[in-house]
């Protein structure tokens, strides 16, 4: 084991991951950079299941520490849809302009608490010996009245942070990383990875009790 492989092809996610885990002393690479192109069947019904499916699929192809995330938007008024289907909701190839407009349309006539929503992120880790770990984090907000902002991706233009009066598309990449579901879940996972790396170096885990 000499790398962390993050199971994504998304460069935006890789930037966030490197910012948070880049100083652990081992390279952090994407699947593509690791030369891996697995066919991942994301058919779980929870963020936890999907994150673990991705991480275990990549783990079966390499000897590295593997991390994967699964994330999405839960809109309470829509029964927590699009949820685990966030990327595929209304079709994978449908633009987010259209998806966001559809969410706004379905919420028309509602206000305040009725528009509550959250981004959820689960990070799964699989270590070279097959040990697994997961962390989950959320960022609470509301669906905005109209799309705003040029930053971020996906549902960011309609995800309002009521305390700031800004959507997550109006934050800089650094600001979003500090408070985002993915940033928080990655920071929660960090001590577990550090623990594994320490054990690897010292071999403490394999010492017989005296
Ligand atoms: P995943 O890549 O399978 O985890 O799919 C996550 C999907 O959830 C993305 O394609 C977006 O639709 C949505 N999503 C997750 N995180 C964010 C975010 O930070 N901003 C906007 N949309 C997000």
């Amino acid at each position: 084991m000499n790398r962390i492989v993050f199971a994504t092809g998304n460069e935006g996610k890789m930037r966030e991951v490197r910012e948070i885990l880049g100083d652990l002393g081992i390279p952090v690479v994407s699947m593509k950079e690791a030369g891996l192109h697995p066919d991942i069947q994301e058919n779980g019904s929870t963020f936890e299941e999907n994150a673990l499916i991705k991480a275990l699929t990549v783990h079966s192809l390499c000897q590295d520490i593997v991390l994967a995330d699964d994330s999405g938007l839960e809109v309470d008024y829509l029964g927590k849809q699009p949820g685990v289907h966030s990327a595929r909701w209304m079709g994978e190839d449908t633009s987010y302009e259209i998806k966001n407009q559809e969410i706004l349309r379905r919420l028309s006539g509602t206000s305040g608490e009725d528009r509550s929503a959250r981004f959820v992120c689960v990070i799964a880790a699989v270590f070279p010996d097959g040990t697994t770990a997961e962390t989950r984090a959320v960022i609470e907000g509301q669906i905005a009245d109209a799309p705003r902002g040029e930053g971020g991706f996906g549902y960011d233009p309609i995800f309002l942070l009521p305390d700031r009066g800004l959507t997550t598309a109006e934050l800089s990449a650094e600001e979003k990383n500090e408070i985002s579901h993915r940033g928080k879940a990655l920071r929660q996972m960090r001590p577990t990875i550090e623990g594994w790396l320490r054990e690897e170096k010292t071999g403490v885990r394999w010492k017989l009790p005296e």
Side-chain angles (χ1 to χ4, degrees):
M1 179 275 310
N2 50 16
R3 298 177 303 190
I4 293 173
V5 177
F6 198 88
T8 187
N10 180 327
E11 249 321 297
K13 283 188 187 175
M14 282 312 294
R15 235 174 289 128
E16 292 185 8
V17 173
R18 285 200 186 94
E19 218 169 86
I20 292 165
L21 303 178
D23 62 346
L24 283 173
I26 59 171
V28 184
V29 299
S30 68
M31 293 189 299
K32 201 165 131 202
E33 288 164 332
L36 305 172
H37 305 276
D39 178 21
I40 298 176
Q41 300 299 325
E42 254 184 73
N43 49 15
S45 53
T46 62
F47 293 111
E48 278 77 6
E49 278 174 22
N50 279 336
L52 203 54
I53 288 170
K54 290 186 220 181
L56 286 170
T57 306
V58 176
H59 167 75
S60 70
L61 302 173
C62 67
Q63 271 80 51
D64 303 287
I65 295 176
V66 178
L67 296 181
D69 80 326
D70 196 50
S71 56
L73 175 70
E74 290 182 349
V75 181
D76 291 327
Y77 192 77
L78 302 180
K80 300 201 173 176
Q81 287 292 314
V84 287
H85 305 296
S86 289
R88 286 161 283 163
W89 193 67
M90 295 182 72
E92 191 109 36
D93 296 331
T94 305
S95 75
Y96 278 94
E97 263 143 26
I98 293 174
K99 295 188 196 202
N100 287 341
Q101 284 301 341
E102 179 59 15
I103 291 178
L104 293 175
R105 193 189 66 73
R106 293 196 195 186
L107 266 67
S108 62
T110 65
S111 61
E113 279 303 299
D114 280 348
R115 299 178 77 86
S116 61
R118 71 201 54 76
F119 279 128
V120 181
C121 179
V122 169
I123 300 283
V126 182
F127 294 93
D129 69 350
T131 313
T132 63
E134 287 197 301
T135 57
R136 165 188 269 251
V138 302
I139 175 171
E140 297 283 347
Q142 282 178 5
I143 299 303
D145 292 331
R148 278 194 344 233
E150 304 297 322
F153 67 101
Y155 299 99
D156 279 326
I158 60 163
F159 189 78
L160 179 71
L161 301 169
D163 291 352
R164 298 189 184 211
L166 296 173
T167 68
T168 40
E170 292 178 298
L171 302 179
S172 69
E174 292 74 30
E175 284 170 328
K176 189 179 162 198
N177 228 351
E178 253 170 49
I179 59 160
S180 83
H181 47 314
R182 195 169 300 102
K184 286 197 263 187
L186 275 169
R187 278 190 288 273
Q188 279 175 32
M189 183 58 81
R190 196 184 149 105
T192 306
I193 302 171
E194 284 173 328
W196 171 272
L197 293 174
R198 248 193 326 270
E199 286 167 1
E200 273 288 292
K201 262 201 199 111
T202 59
V204 163
R205 213 153 42 109
W206 310 115
K207 245 192 191 170
L208 288 170
E210 296 183 352

